[in-house]
Amino acid sequence: MVSSKRNVFGTKGEMGIDFMVLVLSVSWFCLTSICVSATKQAYPPTPQPNQNLRFDQNGEFKILQVADMHYANGKTTPCLDVLPSQNFSCSDLNTTVFLNRMIKAEKPNLIVFTGDNIFGFDSSDSAKSLDAAFAPAIASNIPWVAVLGNHDQEGTLSRAGVMNHIVGMKNTLSKFNPPEVHIIDGFGNYNLDVGGVQGTDFENKSVLNLYFLDSGDYSQVSTIFGYDWIKPSQQLWFQRTSAKLKKAYISKPVPQKDAAPGLAYFHIPLPEYASFDSSNMTGVKQEPDGNGISSPSVNSGFFTTLLAAGDVKAVFTGHDHINDFCGNLMNIQLCYGGGFGYHAYGKAGWPRRARVVVASLEKTGKGSWGDVKSIKTWKRLDDQHLTGIDGEVLWSKSTGGNQG
């Protein structure tokens, strides 16, 4: 049984700068000439009716990130890397219980699943596994979204089939791909607007922009070893979407000076996640391979694209289950969710965990709510008390940037 992403590739190779430039140049050429490697949406599924996201009357919007559930077959699926005392009774159902506890404790406005939602290799029926994995979110009636990881498609559904199934589920705001883009790599690239408090000047503006991308699974280029990466077609879509949102935000009514803050969610971490150690991050880096992260072996430049766009304040990924840190690089916070699922590899005695992010609005002189003032985060552990740890401010309007 392939139980860990580390077993798939082993040691990752290093790529020279000249080769990376060549790869990117070829990719951009493919994009402009409608390269056949991009995903053509012939018959995308019909999305769920739009459900408007907005800040609540307390001026807050809370997001629960669930990374790497690795759900398979429920009570017959064993747990991995737990204490000996837990082995006998532990199964996928522990993941379900943890998700229910987190939803009840945090009461989020949105639940985001950042890939490897199921472990297709061990699932006997991918559709049933997806239904069971997302059941607590559906039952809560809280809006939720998902992106794909590198293991979701390894069962009875293709990658497109998995995303198609997700889009058709109840209460989800997930999208197969942006309807206005006919050719784009991957399945599940989309954005969501979060409006201001109803009844305020910002009720018809998106004061927080959420971006979701498919970071792929494994390299499809025979000469490139390892995991997949975010392609030029996806980056172009992000750039255009970010620019469009900025234009709307700085225009009437209530014209603003700059873009609304944004958050990005996908599965495989960017190579820039390797920039951190215990001196410049909050949380831990425990992955044993290479430099402690499992990113693509080529750098597709998406971090530079994020920097140039200027609106994304934090990126959230999964994939590396025993990393859970956030680090500030050039005023963008790069964060892990931390391993959530019990059928995913972990570390015995190191509790499964989830990340919470809260964006808070500024109080105006009229006693109303304005735009986003700060973005904070913390994690909760799956222990008796759902212990909260590592609370920090990711971004604050008053300082004009992220907190280090």
Side-chain angles (χ1 to χ4, degrees), residues 1-51:
M1 177 183 73
V2 181
S3 61
S4 164
K5 61 179 172 51
R6 297 193 298 269
N7 293 337
V8 177
F9 293 121
T11 304
K12 300 169 183 62
E14 298 294 329
M15 308 300 296
I17 294 175
D18 292 340
F19 185 71
M20 285 189 282
V21 172
L22 175 63
V23 170
L24 290 175
S25 299
V26 172
S27 297
W28 277 110
F29 175 79
C30 284
L31 175 63
T32 56
S33 60
I34 312 181
C35 181
V36 295
S37 65
T39 301
K40 186 174 182 180
Q41 296 181 72
Y43 301 100
T46 302
Q48 295 281 331
N50 287 333
Q51 184 173 352

Side-chain angles (χ1 to χ4, degrees), residues 190-312:
Y190 54 101
N191 70 290
L192 294 175
D193 302 342
V194 185
V197 175
Q198 195 164 12
T200 69
D201 291 341
F202 286 86
E203 70 173 341
N204 295 318
K205 279 186 176 286
S206 178
V207 297
L208 180 68
N209 299 319
L210 307 179
Y211 302 97
F212 307 93
L213 296 102
D214 179 5
S215 56
D217 47 18
Y218 308 106
S219 171
Q220 302 300 308
V221 181
S222 61
T223 54
I224 301 177
F225 187 70
Y227 294 104
D228 212 344
W229 53 89
I230 294 174
K231 305 298 194 305
S233 63
Q234 297 167 281
Q235 297 187 44
L236 181 59
W237 163 77
F238 165 78
Q239 288 172 314
R240 290 176 172 175
T241 303
S242 173
K244 180 181 178 181
L245 290 168
K246 180 179 180 180
K247 183 178 180 180
Y249 195 63
I250 63 177
S251 64
K252 296 180 180 180
V254 198
Q256 298 297 299
K257 295 180 179 179
D258 208 346
L263 306 175
Y265 289 87
F266 46 90
H267 182 70
I268 298 175
L270 302 173
E272 285 80 6
Y273 272 68
S275 305
F276 307 107
D277 56 35
S278 58
S279 69
N280 61 356
M281 68 186 190
T282 301
V284 297
K285 180 196 287 188
Q286 302 178 119
E287 294 286 335
D289 289 348
N291 53 18
I293 68 165
S294 299
S295 64
S297 58
V298 296
N299 193 327
S300 70
F302 188 48
F303 183 78
T304 303
T305 299
L306 292 171
L307 280 176
D311 60 335
V312 169

